[in-house]
Amino acid sequence: MKRDLYYYLRTRKYLYKAWIVVRSSMAKSGSPHSRRDIHLYEEKVDRNLRHIQDRLRTRSYEFSQARGVVLSASKSPRPIVISSISDRIVQRSLLEVIQSDLTNIRAVVDHRKSFGGIKDRGVRHAIEATVNAIRNGSRYFIKSDIKKFFSNIPRAMAVTALCKHLPDNSLDDFLFSATTVELDNLGLLREQHQNLFPSYELGVAQGCCLSPLLGNILLRGFDELTNTEDVLCLRYIDDFLILGKNETEIREVFARGKNELCKFDLDTYDIDDGSKKAIAGCTQRSFSFLGCEISPGFVHPGKESRQNLLNKIKKLFTDSKKRFFTTPKKTEETYEYSLLCTLEQVHRVIAAWGNHYVFCNSQQLFNSLDQKIDEMLRNYLGSYASRRDRADQQERRRILGVHLLTDCNSKPII
C-alpha cells in the first residue's frame, strides 16, 4: 500500500530523528534555560513523542504561539523566533520527510553554487569555492546580501512553490501552518522591533528549520541567472559573493540578480550605499565573506567574529563572578552560574567557535586568542578563589557547582 507523505511525518522514525537534532541543538545552547528545558523534556521524551504522534494521527496537532527575541548585534538587531520544543520537533520532522528519498526536492534546491541550508554543505564549502575561484583567475568580486530576507520572503509563494515539487498534496495545508508565525509576546516588544518579525502573510521565522528550504526554493532562479560560464555567484542563504575575471561582467550579473529579486519584492544592498553590507573590489586585497577574512594565501576568522567570541566568554565570566558575591545561598541561579557550570559553558563556546573555523590557516591568530582567553580565565579563577576563601562549607559547594543534598526539594512521604 502506497503511503502519502503525511503518514511518514507522524512515524516514530522521523519524529525520533527530528528529536535527536532538536535535542543536540538545544543542549549546545548558550542559554541555561534552553538546556534545562530540553533536559526536562528528555526525561519524558517517549511520552512526549507519543503525544505528538497521537495528535498528528488524528490531525489535531496545532502549532502554538512562539516567542520573539531580538538579538542585539553590532550591525543591526536580529529577530529570532523561538518555538516550543514539540513544534520544533514537528517542523524538523517535516523537513526530514521533505528532504528524504520519498521526494525529489533535493534536485530542485541543490544548486551547485548554493551552500546554506543544503545537506552536507556549509561555510567551509563556500569558502573553499571562493579560494578555488581566485586561484583560477577571478580577480574581481562583489559581495552583498538580501535586505531583511527572512522577514520579507513572500511566504505563500514560497510554500506553494515547494508543494508543487512534492509527490502528493498531503502536506500542503500543514506546511502553511508550520511556517505561520504568531508571537505571544509581540505587544511586549519595543515598537521599532515589532516590524522586524514576519507577519501572517509576509516572512518566515528566522530560527525555524524550514525557513532556509523555503528561501532556497524561492531563489533557484536567482542562482541560475547569476552563474554563467565566466562568472560565479556563491550564495549562502541571503549572503552572496560574485566572482569573475572581468569587473564589467560581474557588475552586469549583480544587476541581473537584483532584477530577479524584484519579482519577489526583495532587494540587495548596493555598493557604496553607506550600509557597508555591499562591497566590491579586487580579490588580491583582503575582503570578508561569511565571517571569514580572505586574502592571498590566507583564510582567517573575521575580526568581528573574533571579538564576538571574546565578548561572549567575558560575559560568561562576568555574570558568574557577580553571582559569587550576590547569591551565595540556595538558589537555582547559584548552580547555573557556579564555577563548574560556567567553565563548561565557556568550553562549549570555544569548542564550537574553533570547530567552525577549522578550515582556516590561522594558527598564530588562534594562539593570540588563546592567550587573551587565558588572561580572562586567570582573572576569573582569582575571583572564585577570593570568594571561596571567605565562604562557609555549604557556600563553597554551591559556588563550585557540586550539588548539596540538602538543597534538593524534599518531599518526604512520612
Side-chain angles (χ1 to χ4, degrees):
M1 177 181 177
K2 186 177 180 180
R3 308 285 191 179
D4 61 24
L5 293 180
Y6 187 88
Y7 169 84
Y8 293 98
L9 168 67
R10 65 177 188 260
T11 61
R12 175 78 178 183
K13 172 185 174 180
Y14 285 100
L15 285 175
Y16 192 77
K17 192 174 181 179
W19 154 248
I20 294 299
V21 175
V22 172
R23 180 184 64 180
S24 175
S25 175
M26 293 187 68
K28 296 175 184 176
S29 171
S31 166
H33 301 292
S34 292
R35 296 197 302 274
R36 184 173 63 248
D37 288 347
I38 200 64
H39 175 70
L40 293 173
Y41 196 92
E42 186 173 19
E43 290 179 349
K44 300 177 181 178
V45 65
D46 288 333
R47 188 179 75 176
N48 288 331
L49 292 182
R50 281 198 301 271
H51 186 49
I52 292 175
Q53 276 186 300
D54 290 342
R55 287 186 290 163
L56 288 174
R57 186 179 298 112
T58 58
R59 296 184 180 270
S60 60
Y61 191 93
E62 293 185 0
F63 291 93
S64 56
Q65 289 185 318
R67 180 166 57 92
V69 175
V70 179
L71 300 183
S72 297
S74 59
K75 294 186 293 185
S76 59
R78 185 177 173 217
I80 300 296
V81 175
I82 301 177
S83 300
S84 70
I85 296 176
S86 292
D87 285 354
R88 292 187 220 186
I89 292 172
V90 174
Q91 289 165 343
R92 186 74 205 188
S93 184
L94 261 173
L95 182 65
E96 295 289 346
V97 169
I98 290 170
Q99 293 187 147
S100 71
D101 293 337
L102 298 168
T103 75
N104 193 36
I105 203 65
R106 175 127 191 193
V108 180
V109 299
D110 191 7
H111 191 277
R112 67 194 186 284
K113 300 305 177 186
S114 175
F115 299 91
I118 305 291
K119 191 174 182 179
D120 301 325
R121 291 189 197 167
V123 172
R124 177 194 180 103
H125 303 93
I127 299 299
E128 186 175 19
T130 301
V131 172
N132 289 337
I134 294 172
R135 284 175 179 167
N136 292 331
S138 292
R139 296 183 57 200
Y140 300 97
F141 75 90
I142 293 177
K143 188 203 76 168
S144 184
D145 62 76
I146 303 170
K147 294 180 181 179
K148 300 178 181 178
F149 180 60
F150 287 105
S151 57
N152 284 324
I153 286 179
R155 186 175 64 89
M157 184 184 298
V159 174
T160 300
L162 171 59
C163 292
K164 286 180 180 178
H165 294 287
L166 298 180
D168 61 61
N169 62 1
S170 63
L171 292 179
D172 290 11
D173 293 339
F174 202 68
L175 270 168
F176 275 97
S177 298
T179 54
T180 300
V181 176
E182 292 186 45
L183 302 182
D184 62 4
N185 65 330
L186 184 63
L188 301 177
L189 297 171
R190 294 181 180 179
E191 187 174 349
Q192 66 266 35
H193 289 160
Q194 292 180 5
N195 291 333
L196 297 176
F197 290 90
S199 63
Y200 183 78
E201 296 181 349
L202 185 66
V204 295
Q206 198 165 350
C208 174
C209 64
L210 292 164
S211 297
L213 174 63
L214 294 180
N216 285 334
I217 285 281
L218 198 70
L219 296 183
R220 174 70 186 202
F222 175 89
D223 293 333
E224 293 288 352
L225 283 172
T226 54
N227 281 279
T228 69
E229 185 176 344
D230 299 315
V231 176
L232 293 179
C233 180
L234 311 177
R235 183 177 63 82
Y236 195 99
I237 309 297
D238 55 338
D239 290 291
F240 62 91
L241 176 69
I242 302 175
L243 294 155
K245 300 177 182 179
N246 184 290
E247 186 175 11
T248 301
E249 288 182 353
I250 66 170
R251 287 183 178 272
E252 289 174 353
V253 167
F254 181 64
R256 194 183 307 157
K258 283 178 68 70
N259 288 336
E260 175 67 13
L261 292 174
C262 287
K263 296 178 181 179
F264 313 115
D265 290 327
L266 296 171
D267 197 6
T268 71
Y269 290 93
D270 290 319
I271 302 164
D272 301 325
D273 63 0
S275 68
K276 297 183 180 179
K277 293 188 176 184
I279 58 174
C282 177
T283 58
Q284 296 308 300
R285 299 173 185 171
S286 177
F287 66 96
S288 62
F289 182 49
L290 301 179
C292 295
E293 291 178 6
I294 303 168
S295 58
F298 293 97
V299 175
H300 299 317
K303 181 178 180 180
E304 183 178 353
S305 179
R306 301 195 304 265
Q307 190 58 53
N308 286 342
L309 169 68
L310 295 176
N311 290 344
K312 188 174 293 187
I313 295 171
K314 181 180 180 180
K315 186 176 188 305
L316 287 170
F317 283 148
T318 300
D319 289 348
S320 178
K321 285 191 291 186
K322 286 180 181 177
R323 299 316 193 283
F324 285 166
F325 294 96
T326 58
T327 57
K329 301 299 181 182
K330 174 190 172 182
T331 69
E332 191 174 343
E333 282 191 346
T334 301
Y335 288 105
E336 287 181 2
Y337 293 94
S338 66
L339 177 83
L340 294 180
C341 287
T342 299
L343 291 180
E344 181 187 9
Q345 289 184 68
V346 170
H347 163 75
R348 289 175 182 271
V349 167
I350 296 172
W353 190 91
N355 288 330
H356 180 76
Y357 289 108
V358 292
F359 54 85
C360 294
N361 54 342
S362 313
Q363 197 56 52
Q364 185 176 353
L365 186 148
F366 290 152
N367 288 339
S368 175
L369 286 172
D370 275 333
Q371 290 174 11
K372 293 178 181 179
I373 294 169
D374 285 344
E375 180 61 31
M376 287 192 284
L377 181 59
R378 280 193 294 269
N379 179 276
Y380 173 70
L381 292 177
S383 296
Y384 163 75
S386 174
R387 179 66 183 92
R388 177 200 60 200
D389 293 343
R390 292 187 291 145
D392 61 34
Q393 188 57 42
Q394 286 189 328
E395 289 172 350
R396 288 183 181 183
R397 280 269 295 271
R398 291 185 184 117
I399 63 175
L400 175 62
V402 178
H403 212 285
L404 283 159
L405 292 175
T406 52
D407 282 350
C408 295
N409 294 324
S410 180
K411 297 179 181 179
I413 59 173
I414 297 179

